Amino acid sequence: MHYVYLLKLRDNSYYTGSTNDVKKRLAKHNKGDVLATKGKRPVELIFYCAFPTKKKALEFEKYLKNGSGQAFRNKHLI
């Protein structure tokens, strides 16, 4: 399985990512190993969902990062 996840960052912004292991990826974010979130720790996992293929997960991640996907995120996921 592949997952798309949302993090709430210390500055109250959001980070969207994908992974095949949510637990390990969250640990990397909180350890400071991810450049995009390193200065905004601690991070809080607020949502994740599973997809049967990496391709589907990446498509949904890309959607959540565009304007209409951000509106969907704000209305339904956070």
Side-chain angles (χ1 to χ4, degrees):
M1 298 299 281
H2 294 271
Y3 304 88
V4 174
Y5 62 94
L6 294 173
L7 303 176
K8 185 171 185 180
L9 308 178
R10 184 182 66 202
D11 65 357
N12 289 318
S13 63
Y14 296 96
Y15 176 87
T16 303
S18 61
T19 184
N20 64 347
D21 189 329
V22 175
K23 194 173 186 177
K24 282 185 184 178
R25 189 66 175 157
L26 182 60
K28 285 187 171 210
H29 280 286
N30 275 315
K31 188 177 175 186
D33 291 342
V34 181
L35 187 61
T37 59
K38 185 175 184 174
K40 300 175 182 183
R41 296 175 291 150
V43 302
E44 175 188 0
L45 179 66
I46 58 170
F47 171 83
Y48 71 95
C49 60
F51 292 86
T53 65
K54 184 176 182 177
K55 181 180 181 207
K56 290 288 184 188
L58 292 174
E59 288 171 354
F60 189 60
E61 177 189 7
K62 184 177 179 180
Y63 167 70
L64 289 178
K65 289 180 174 181
N66 74 32
S68 62
Q70 289 175 4
F72 175 83
R73 175 199 73 194
N74 293 341
K75 185 173 182 179
H76 300 288
L77 305 178
I78 58 172

